Amino acid sequence: MIRFVLAFVFTVASTVGVSSQANDRPNIVVIVCDDLGFSDLGCYGGEIETPNLDRLASNGLRFTDFHNNAKCSETRASLLTGLWHQQSKNLKLPGNVTLAEVLRDSGYSTMMSGKWHLAGHPLDRGFDRYFGFLSGAANFFTGQDWESGQNLMRLDREVFEVPGDFYTTDAFTDYAIKFIDQARTKNRPYFLYLAHNAPHFPLHALPDDIAKYRGRYDVGWDEIRERRFRRQQKLGIVDQTWSLSARDPKLEPFSTLTQSQKEFLIPMMEVYAAMVDRLDQNVGRLVSDLQEHGDLDNTVILFFSDNGACPYNRMKTPNIGPGPADSNYAYDARWANMCNTPMRLYKQYAHEGGSLTPLIAHWPAAIKQPGGLTNSTHHIVDLMPTVIELANGQYPSEREGQPINPSEGISLVPTIRGQAIESRPPIFWEFASNHAIREGNWKLVAERSRDWELYDLSLDRTETNDVSDRYPDVVRRLSQSYNAWAKRVNAKMHPAAKKTKPSKQSQLFDLSKH
């Protein structure tokens, strides 16, 4: 169900022209998954079986400090434009250009398969082909919108009628492979944006995939968090600056649950794991197709998630357990806290649990030490300058007479090549009044309705020791920088965010009923 997280396939560009560069410039495949936790993949410490992504990691590069915007649409907006999401209002505002538009102008075939969740239509924003659904969540078996029940599935601009054997993760990959096959006939490089909805709720998975995980989560979230953290230490994902954050104080120890409460909660994680497993299977299908056609070596794959694990409880079908098409569940903060091991908090928050994502880069032509790790700090706004460098493209100052906002990121290419990045501009976050600024190793962060917290990430990657009282000058300086940025891009400034009521979206099931 969550077969592709996010893969970028790159090949080096060195000359100008279209057909003459078809075999020189990289194909670009972006795969993004939805609501994946930092520790869910095997190569990031998880127990879920992800052999295909693990293989990409063993032949590629894993990032331990790559960030998104902590929310679905907002991440997609920055991913496509290289701007802070407030600057485009999820593509509702003018003044932006997309990766697809820049790459099509550079001679690439451009294709998208999967979840759009932005204003407009992909074919109006630079894509030659599109298959997927236009909204933010859909039934994995019927393709119907999760809220309205409408059919928002599209093949290009036409309504797509879902067949009886449909499952989104498989179908998105089917069309991605079809589009690539068509693009190969054009003697030009291609760009694929594959946006999976897995493992976003509703928790839907195929019976054979679910069966693999029956019983694996019976030990509960506390024990599995410990196991994941030990594996992360062994893999080198975490070092001495990463402590295992305490269990979210809202959550009870797993050992205190009754048997009926465990039987209510455990199947949700089993189905979630099955969704991640199915995502990995589909990553394998795509990579196999690239390899069979001789494209893989000329491809860079970047795989990541749109935000951290999701804490939103959901149970619309109490008489039908999670998994089948007529069920409607999301797990709550209990399992999300585990999936984000070793971080605090979740999707929507500016803390690391909201924005830190696995990123796997696969590019045989450039990665000098396959299987390595990098702690270079990056954000999804960095994809635009990365693509431009790899495709020998040009970021426009205007498009169709409309001025374009300057790109906000830096290229990933030096990091992928193993070169050190001496400095980068600050990174900012703001969604629903949760907000932060990252400057070097300092991170100033606040939940909505609360005051600033300050963390020295060189000593405390998991944000467990607030040092704001010890460094008031740093708090003051970074706060001023954040507010200046917020004013520039029309984000919520700290004083206004502090007056906002606490979020109601980190919810827990009422276990007294079970």
Side-chain angles (χ1 to χ4, degrees), residues 454 467-480:
L454 179 68
V467 295
S468 57
D469 290 344
R470 292 172 53 191
Y471 298 99
D473 290 345
V474 176
V475 172
R476 188 177 306 108
R477 177 175 60 81
L478 294 182
S479 180
Q480 290 172 350

Side-chain angles (χ1 to χ4, degrees), residues 178-412:
K178 288 179 182 179
F179 290 162
I180 287 176
D181 198 49
Q182 294 169 1
R184 290 189 179 108
T185 67
K186 299 179 180 179
N187 193 33
R188 62 176 65 175
Y190 55 80
F191 166 55
L192 168 69
Y193 172 34
L194 177 56
H196 279 285
N197 57 325
H200 192 289
F201 66 81
L203 295 175
H204 286 163
L206 298 169
D208 288 347
D209 294 332
I210 298 172
K212 293 173 61 175
Y213 294 93
R214 290 299 187 204
R216 292 204 194 184
Y217 296 95
D218 289 1
V219 296
W221 45 78
D222 294 314
E223 174 62 24
I224 296 177
R225 283 189 86 222
E226 294 282 354
R227 293 178 185 179
R228 287 189 175 195
F229 188 61
R230 289 194 294 269
R231 280 195 293 267
Q232 289 175 325
Q233 291 175 313
K234 185 176 181 179
L235 291 169
I237 298 294
V238 306
D239 58 29
Q240 67 275 12
T241 68
W242 300 53
S243 61
L244 178 60
S245 62
R247 183 196 317 109
D248 187 328
K250 298 189 297 293
L251 313 182
E252 66 277 79
F254 185 79
S255 61
T256 64
L257 301 184
T258 66
Q259 186 60 32
S260 63
Q261 290 169 344
K262 293 177 182 179
E263 291 173 355
F264 168 66
L265 292 169
I266 288 171
M268 300 180 200
M269 187 60 205
E270 294 170 342
V271 175
Y272 175 91
M275 296 165 73
V276 177
D277 188 306
R278 175 62 57 160
L279 172 70
D280 180 78
Q281 294 174 46
N282 278 281
V283 170
R285 288 177 56 211
L286 179 62
V287 172
S288 293
D289 181 79
L290 295 172
Q291 190 166 24
E292 289 168 5
H293 287 86
D295 290 350
L296 188 59
D297 287 345
N298 194 33
T299 293
V300 175
I301 299 171
L302 299 178
F303 167 90
F304 62 88
S305 180
D306 64 349
N307 44 249
C310 178
Y312 307 166
N313 69 334
R314 181 179 178 84
M315 183 178 62
K316 300 287 187 178
T317 56
N319 297 321
I320 304 172
D326 54 355
S327 68
N328 197 333
Y329 282 80
Y331 68 30
D332 67 8
R334 295 175 173 95
W335 291 121
N337 186 222
M338 185 199 80
C339 291
N340 277 339
T341 302
M343 298 302 177
R344 292 174 52 214
L345 296 175
Y346 322 92
K347 172 181 179 177
Q348 80 174 310
Y349 293 96
H351 288 73
E352 299 286 287
S355 74
L356 183 65
T357 173
L359 167 62
I360 300 170
H362 186 269
W363 187 15
I367 295 174
K368 297 179 181 178
Q369 295 182 323
L373 298 162
T374 176
N375 61 2
S376 292
T377 305
H378 284 284
H379 186 274
I380 51 171
V381 294
D382 296 345
L383 294 188
M384 178 65 81
T386 302
V387 166
I388 288 173
E389 180 172 354
L390 291 167
N392 197 22
Q394 184 174 0
Y395 188 83
S397 59
E398 65 175 41
R399 187 175 182 85
E400 297 178 352
Q402 173 68 49
I404 301 297
N405 288 309
S407 179
E408 298 281 351
I410 63 172
S411 175
L412 288 160

Side-chain angles (χ1 to χ4, degrees), residues 11-13 17-18 21-27 106-108 189 298 390-392:
T11 301
V12 197
V18 177
Q21 291 188 7
N23 296 320
D24 297 324
R25 296 188 296 173
N27 304 307
S106 301
Y108 276 67
N298 194 33
L390 291 167
N392 197 22

Side-chain angles (χ1 to χ4, degrees), residues 34-92:
D34 207 327
D35 289 5
L36 186 81
F38 180 71
S39 65
D40 283 333
L41 304 180
C43 55
Y44 277 81
E47 70 294 322
I48 302 174
E49 296 179 26
T50 56
N52 295 292
L53 286 164
D54 296 350
R55 193 173 300 114
L56 283 181
S58 68
N59 292 301
L61 181 67
R62 282 166 296 166
F63 287 63
T64 62
D65 201 7
F66 185 83
H67 296 266
N68 51 48
N69 282 337
K71 197 64 167 56
C72 303
S73 295
E74 288 70 19
T75 284
R76 285 160 173 74
S78 289
L79 184 163
L80 285 175
T81 66
L83 304 176
W84 307 113
H85 69 86
Q86 296 87 352
Q87 293 174 286
S88 75
K89 293 294 183 185
N90 300 345
L91 302 192
K92 296 182 179 73

